[in-house]
């Protein structure tokens, strides 16, 4: 009898990559779920004896799925597969009953090692596994998954430096006009003011700017976490922005470059505006951007009043190269 396997991830690319890394000599029946609620329905129906579970998903995230499995005492062996590689994320999923944690992007060797370690590999060996349903992946989905993994790298570095847990969203990826930029900043309240800086980056055929929006209410908490003196001083605010940008932008670009096998050079950060609205910030700098591919990530730090929004704005001329590089992930 085939072993019921559930792959639960909101990214079509991640589901496809996960299915491709499963051992070839497995007799398994694969079911896919695009969010935690669908995943729970499949587990209750007996379609998830072994579950590969993402953490950042809409409707119901991976943490909620683990809690529900524990509460209902469902017979599921769960391996978390996520781009959120923070140590505290590892600790939390284990405390909620997950067998282990694999970081994205997954590899066949990592999957095989864990399956052997927990004796799962022997549960369905001997027959080539059933053909998984075909998954169609578009370039926007692939781009969002790349952003998801890069986001996790940046959050991990920030969490280690400040000894905090960074709450991660689902990245928002869109091709849009500059007039639509403010619409992408859904987590920014209209009445709140922000300070911002940008940092240019360039690689082979790819260029753009990283825009960091720092909510003004976050400065004092962040300065204290960074152990900076005079947290209310204007120079301290600029230092907080630059230090945060160096961590988040640098790690995010490194995460993208590792996946797409390309290198980025970065310019010095430039302060765009202080204590202004997002609308004013964008309109005052609208000549810097035209039609662009935008990756938006809203970083939040647990138990602190700290929030900042990172936008990566790729030039329109970069899209052909990005499509070419992302195409390798789709094959």
């Amino acid at each position: 009898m085939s072993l019921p396997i559930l792959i639960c991830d909101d990214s079509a690319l991640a589901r496809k990559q996960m299915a491709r890394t499963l051992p070839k000599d497995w007799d398994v029946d694969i079911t896919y779920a695009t969010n935690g609620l669908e995943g729970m329905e499949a587990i209750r129906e007996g379609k998830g004896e072994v579950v590969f579970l993402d953490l950042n998903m809409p409707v119901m995230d991976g943490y909620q799925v683990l809690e529900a499995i524990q509460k209902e005492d469902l017979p599921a062996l769960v391996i978390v597969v996520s781009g959120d590689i923070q140590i505290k994320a590892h600790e939390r999923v284990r405390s909620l009953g997950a067998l282990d944690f694999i970081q994205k992007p997954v590899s066949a060797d990592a999957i095989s090692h864990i399956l052997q370690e927990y004796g799962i590999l022997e549960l369905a060996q001997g027959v080539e596994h059933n053909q998984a349903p075909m998954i169609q992946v578009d370039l926007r989905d692939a781009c969002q998954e790349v952003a998801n993994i890069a986001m996790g790298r940046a959050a991990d570095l920030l969490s280690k430096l400040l000894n905090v847990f960074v709450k991660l969203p689902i990245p928002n990826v869109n091709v849009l006009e500059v007039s639509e930029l403010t619409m992408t900043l859904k987590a920014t309240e209209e009445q709140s003011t922000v300070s911002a800086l940008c940092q240019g980056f360039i690689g082979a055929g790819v260029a753009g700017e990283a825009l960091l929006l720092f909510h003004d209410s976050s400065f004092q908490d962040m300065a204290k976490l960074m152990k900076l003196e005079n947290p209310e001083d204007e120079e301290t605010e600029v230092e907080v922005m630059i230090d945060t940008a160096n961590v988040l932008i640098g790690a995010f670009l490194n995460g993208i470059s590792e996946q797409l096998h390309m290198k980025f050079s970065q310019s010095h950060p430039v302060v765009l505006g202080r204590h202004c609205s997002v609308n004013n910030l964008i309109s005052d700098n609208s000549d810097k951007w035209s039609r662009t591919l935008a990756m938006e990530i809203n970083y939040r730090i647990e138990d602190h009043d700290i929030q900042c929004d990172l936008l990566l704005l790729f030039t329109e001329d970069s899209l052909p190269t990005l499509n070419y590089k992302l195409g390798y992930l789709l094959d």
Side-chain angles (χ1 to χ4, degrees), residues 9-30:
D9 198 303
D10 61 311
S11 166
L13 175 61
R15 297 194 299 272
K16 183 175 183 177
Q17 289 177 327
M18 186 67 238
R20 288 193 305 194
T21 60
L22 295 178
K24 301 303 181 187
D25 60 347
W26 251 21
D27 178 19
V28 296
D29 186 10
I30 300 175

Side-chain angles (χ1 to χ4, degrees), residues 122-197:
E122 292 76 20
L123 295 178
Q125 274 191 316
V127 182
E128 186 168 333
H129 73 72
N130 297 340
Q131 189 69 32
M134 291 295 294
I135 300 177
Q136 296 298 321
V137 184
D138 61 32
L139 287 170
R140 181 184 174 279
D141 180 277
C143 199
Q144 183 164 309
E145 181 62 8
V146 167
N148 177 58
I149 293 170
M151 171 185 71
R153 300 286 191 274
D156 181 53
L157 180 56
L158 188 64
S159 70
K160 288 175 179 176
L161 289 174
L162 302 180
N163 191 29
V164 295
F165 181 71
V166 182
K167 300 170 69 173
L168 296 179
I170 298 168
N172 187 26
V173 177
N174 284 295
V175 176
L176 41 77
E177 306 292 334
V178 65
S179 60
E180 300 173 290
L181 273 178
T182 53
M183 296 174 60
T184 71
L185 301 171
K186 297 174 183 174
T188 304
E189 297 180 6
E190 290 183 5
Q191 66 270 25
S192 66
T193 57
V194 299
S195 297
L197 57 74

Side-chain angles (χ1 to χ4, degrees), residues 169-242:
I170 298 168
N172 187 26
V173 177
N174 284 295
V175 176
L176 41 77
E177 306 292 334
V178 65
S179 60
E180 300 173 290
L181 273 178
T182 53
M183 296 174 60
T184 71
L185 301 171
K186 297 174 183 174
T188 304
E189 297 180 6
E190 290 183 5
Q191 66 270 25
S192 66
T193 57
V194 299
S195 297
L197 57 74
C198 70
Q199 189 168 14
F201 59 88
I202 189 169
V206 175
E209 288 190 321
L211 176 65
L212 183 71
L213 305 180
F214 209 91
H215 293 236
D216 287 344
S217 59
S218 306
F219 277 118
Q220 290 195 31
D221 263 17
M222 184 62 95
K224 291 175 183 176
L225 284 176
M226 291 179 171
K227 296 180 171 55
L228 299 176
E229 296 181 358
N230 304 318
E232 298 181 10
D233 186 76
E234 286 190 7
E235 291 184 3
T236 301
E237 289 186 355
V238 174
E239 185 176 355
V240 166
M241 273 202 300
I242 291 176

Side-chain angles (χ1 to χ4, degrees), residues 7 40 79 104 107 109 139 151 161 174 182 198 207 290 303 311 319:
I7 298 175
M40 284 304 302
I79 298 169
K104 292 180 175 181
S107 69
D109 288 342
L139 287 170
M151 171 185 71
L161 289 174
N174 284 295
T182 53
C198 70
S290 56
D303 299 326
L311 262 74
L319 297 183

Side-chain angles (χ1 to χ4, degrees), residues 8 27 73 92 108 111 128 155 173 240 243 273 275 281 305 316:
C8 185
D27 178 19
D73 195 23
R92 290 184 183 190
I111 294 294
E128 186 168 333
V173 177
V240 166
D243 288 348
H275 314 301
L281 178 73
D305 184 21
E316 187 172 4

Side-chain angles (χ1 to χ4, degrees), residues 29-308:
D29 186 10
I30 300 175
T31 298
Y32 296 113
T34 63
N35 59 61
L37 185 60
E38 290 181 7
M40 284 304 302
E41 292 172 356
I43 293 169
R44 294 187 186 106
E45 294 171 3
K47 297 178 180 178
E49 189 170 325
V50 177
V51 179
F52 296 98
L53 179 68
D54 186 27
L55 291 179
N56 296 330
M57 295 182 292
V59 185
M60 187 177 189
D61 65 25
Y63 295 106
Q64 294 170 318
V65 170
L66 288 167
E67 290 171 353
I69 289 173
Q70 275 195 336
K71 184 177 180 180
E72 299 180 33
D73 195 23
L74 297 172
L77 303 174
V78 181
I79 298 169
V80 169
V81 185
S82 176
D84 185 355
I85 57 174
Q86 297 177 80
I87 293 174
K88 291 186 178 181
H90 288 227
E91 295 171 349
R92 290 184 183 190
V93 298
R94 284 182 177 275
S95 69
L96 290 171
L99 281 183
D100 216 321
F101 187 108
I102 301 175
Q103 75 175 52
K104 292 180 175 181
V106 296
S107 69
D109 288 342
I111 294 294
S112 179
H113 174 76
I114 283 188
L115 295 178
Q116 288 179 336
E117 182 178 353
Y118 292 100
I120 301 173
L121 193 60
E122 292 76 20
L123 295 178
Q125 274 191 316
V127 182
E128 186 168 333
H129 73 72
N130 297 340
Q131 189 69 32
M134 291 295 294
I135 300 177
Q136 296 298 321
V137 184
D138 61 32
L139 287 170
R140 181 184 174 279
D141 180 277
C143 199
Q144 183 164 309
E145 181 62 8
V146 167
N148 177 58
I149 293 170
M151 171 185 71
R153 300 286 191 274
D156 181 53
L157 180 56
L158 188 64
S159 70
K160 288 175 179 176
L161 289 174
L162 302 180
N163 191 29
V164 295
F165 181 71
V166 182
K167 300 170 69 173
L168 296 179
I170 298 168
N172 187 26
V173 177
N174 284 295
V175 176
L176 41 77
E177 306 292 334
V178 65
S179 60
E180 300 173 290
L181 273 178
T182 53
M183 296 174 60
T184 71
L185 301 171
K186 297 174 183 174
T188 304
E189 297 180 6
E190 290 183 5
Q191 66 270 25
S192 66
T193 57
V194 299
S195 297
L197 57 74
C198 70
Q199 189 168 14
F201 59 88
I202 189 169
V206 175
E209 288 190 321
L211 176 65
L212 183 71
L213 305 180
F214 209 91
H215 293 236
D216 287 344
S217 59
S218 306
F219 277 118
Q220 290 195 31
D221 263 17
M222 184 62 95
K224 291 175 183 176
L225 284 176
M226 291 179 171
K227 296 180 171 55
L228 299 176
E229 296 181 358
N230 304 318
E232 298 181 10
D233 186 76
E234 286 190 7
E235 291 184 3
T236 301
E237 289 186 355
V238 174
E239 185 176 355
V240 166
M241 273 202 300
I242 291 176
D243 288 348
T244 306
N246 285 336
V247 172
L248 293 182
I249 296 173
F252 195 94
L253 287 174
N254 284 339
I256 291 178
S257 66
E258 287 175 10
Q259 296 176 78
L260 301 185
H261 305 292
M262 61 189 306
K263 295 292 184 182
F264 291 113
S265 298
Q266 296 169 235
S267 64
H268 291 292
V270 176
V271 176
L272 288 181
R274 303 278 307 281
H275 314 301
C276 56
S277 71
V278 173
N279 284 325
N280 289 339
L281 178 73
I282 298 298
S283 62
D284 290 346
N285 295 275
S286 59
D287 59 330
K288 297 168 65 68
W289 308 299
S290 56
R291 187 170 183 266
T292 181
L293 170 69
M295 297 179 178
E296 181 205 356
I297 298 92
N298 313 118
Y299 288 97
R300 305 290 179 267
I301 295 181
E302 189 174 68
D303 299 326
H304 293 275
D305 184 21
I306 297 173
Q307 49 184 325
C308 57

